[in-house]
Every structure is written in C-alpha cells, then in structure tokens.
Amino acid sequence: MIHPTAQIDPSAVIGANVRIGAYTVIGADVHIGDGTIIGPHVVIEGPTRIGRDNRIAQFASLGGDPQDMKFSGERTELVIGDRNLIREFVTISRGTSGGGGVTRIGNDNWLLAYVHVAHDCTIGNHTIFSNYSALAGHVEVGDWTVFSGYSGAHQFCKIGEHAFIAMGCLLGADVPPFLMMANDQNGRPRGLNTTGLKRRGFEPERITAIKRAYRTLYTSGLPLAEAREQLATQAQESEDVRAMLEFLDRSERGLAR
C-alpha cells in the first residue's frame, strides 16, 4: 500500500491501512492516522499530525515552513483531524511561535484545488474551501463556513460559523456567524446564509431569531454599541444570537458592516 518510490523518513509514524502514492515524500516527525490515502507527488513535512481516513490528492504540500519573515526555524506544528478531503496543489503551512505554534484543521472539511491556508490558522469542522480560496495568517474559521472560489481573508480575521463567502470576496474585517458576504473587494454583508441554514436543519424559529439579530446589527442604523445592547436582550431567548454576541465580544479587527 506504499509505493516503492515514496520516500518516508524513519521517524514518521504511519497508521494501519494507509496508502501512499508514487514519489510522495513524508518527512521527519510526521504522524499519519489509519485509513488515510495520500496520492502521488505529495510532500508532507513535520512536525505534522494527520488523523484518520483523510484523502490527500496529488501535488499537495502540507506542513511546510510558515511564509513569515519572522520565522527562524523554531519547532511549530500542523494538526489535521479526520475525514478531510485535500485536493490538488493545496498548501498548508505550520504555525509560528508568535501565533501559538500550531496551524489547526478540524474534521470533515473540503479543501479544493489550489487552496492556501497560512500559518496559525484555525479551521473548524464541515467547512468548504472552493478552488483558489486562501487564508492569510492567524485566521479563525467557524464550523460549516463556505469560502467560494477566489475568495480570501486578511490576517487575523475571524469568520463565524455557518457564514458564506461569495466568489471573489476579500475579507478585511471579522464576519459574524450566519452571514453572507459579497463584493469583489472589501467584502460587505449581503444578508444571511439562509439556504445553508435550512440545509443543516435549522428550524424556522431559529432562522427568524437570527434574521431579527441581523436587522438589528446591519439595517437598523443603530450605532454598534446600541445594536449590541439590543442583541443582548434578544440573546436571552436564542442560543444562536448568543453565539453572535459572543463573536462580537471576541472581535479584534472590527466587524464587517
């Protein structure tokens, strides 16, 4: 199940039923979980931890040095969970000491061709990154978020769960949960990702509460401080609005409004 032309460092740990294609290079301090399939011409550098049942296509490059001029060779990691699909020419860098030291990707994500995930990013579960989408360093992406083709996020941005980033949209500020973002440059809110919420089983009452919170934050004309006060009241009856409120409190780059 390991092609004879693959180069595997003696320190690498390869789980059961792992398949490794021709001319793939597995470096030192790499751990690959059971059932993972790695195509030909893949490069995985360590320290990297990859969980079980992942699918990694040809020419992907995982665990390389961070593209950060401050990096000076210190030990940092890439940690990837289970059941992720990583397609052709995807690049994922390890972390930096100044950013926590770990780039982390959760479970059940799809990273399609030519996606780039920079150092110290944290990606949740069930996300989709379409072709040519990219994250700069230190970006946080919540569960079930979708990045369309050619979209991207500025360093240190936070994107909440269930957000939808439209094709070519470039984010320069934090995006609360459930939002849909559009525009080629300096992405702006364009409503809620209601289609995605319905597909994931959100009941009408939940969506109604989220819509009311969106109107409060984006169409009421209220200053942010006053909008936040109203959201605090709405959050008493909605766990989803509480999630939006908690996101506002964690925002560091300011909200996309």
Side-chain angles (χ1 to χ4, degrees):
M1 301 182 76
I2 298 177
H3 196 277
T5 62
Q7 299 182 33
I8 301 175
D9 189 276
S11 69
V13 177
I14 310 299
N17 300 316
V18 170
R19 293 168 54 186
I20 299 176
Y23 301 104
T24 283
V25 178
I26 309 294
D29 204 1
V30 172
H31 292 228
I32 300 174
D34 297 350
T36 289
I37 298 175
I38 301 171
H41 298 280
V42 174
V43 176
I44 304 177
E45 302 177 61
T48 291
R49 306 289 182 270
I50 298 175
R52 61 184 303 138
D53 298 319
N54 293 281
R55 301 294 182 268
I56 302 171
Q58 57 268 26
F59 303 107
S61 179
L62 311 180
D65 288 350
Q67 300 176 43
D68 186 326
M69 296 182 68
K70 299 185 296 298
F71 180 72
S72 58
E74 60 269 22
R75 178 185 173 86
T76 58
E77 291 184 285
L78 167 63
V79 177
I80 298 175
D82 303 330
R83 298 177 303 279
N84 296 287
L85 174 65
I86 299 173
R87 292 300 300 262
E88 299 85 350
F89 297 100
V90 168
T91 56
I92 309 174
S93 302
R94 301 193 317 278
T96 64
S97 59
V102 180
T103 302
R104 191 179 303 276
I105 296 176
N107 306 319
D108 302 295
N109 300 289
W110 277 29
L111 282 70
L112 303 185
Y114 292 94
V115 166
H116 175 64
V117 178
H119 57 87
D120 304 295
C121 287
T122 300
I123 296 173
N125 308 309
H126 303 286
T127 65
I128 297 174
F129 288 80
S130 297
N131 302 65
Y132 296 96
S133 55
L135 302 180
H138 311 275
V139 173
E140 296 181 19
V141 179
D143 296 349
W144 297 102
T145 290
V146 175
F147 273 77
S148 301
Y150 298 92
S151 59
H154 191 282
Q155 60 260 37
F156 293 100
C157 280
K158 295 181 176 65
I159 297 93
E161 60 190 14
H162 298 282
F164 183 92
I165 315 303
M167 180 177 178
C169 181
L170 304 179
L171 305 176
D174 295 340
V175 178
F178 314 117
L179 263 63
M180 178 182 292
M181 301 290 292
N183 278 15
D184 290 346
Q185 301 287 333
N186 299 320
R188 294 288 182 263
R190 290 293 181 266
L192 293 171
N193 183 19
T194 51
T195 298
L197 298 181
K198 291 175 181 177
R199 287 174 177 171
R200 291 159 204 149
F202 277 57
E203 296 180 352
E205 294 79 7
R206 293 182 67 183
I207 296 176
T208 297
I210 294 169
K211 286 182 176 179
R212 182 172 65 169
Y214 178 87
R215 290 194 296 268
T216 299
L217 190 58
Y218 285 102
T219 66
S220 67
L222 293 173
L224 182 58
E226 294 182 23
R228 191 199 175 286
E229 291 179 2
Q230 291 199 16
L231 288 178
T233 300
Q234 298 171 22
Q236 296 175 13
E237 299 179 357
S238 170
E239 181 178 347
D240 299 312
V241 178
R242 284 198 297 274
M244 296 179 71
L245 192 62
E246 291 170 359
F247 184 92
L248 300 187
D249 292 339
R250 294 195 307 111
S251 176
E252 297 175 354
R253 286 190 54 82
L255 292 185
R257 293 190 83 192

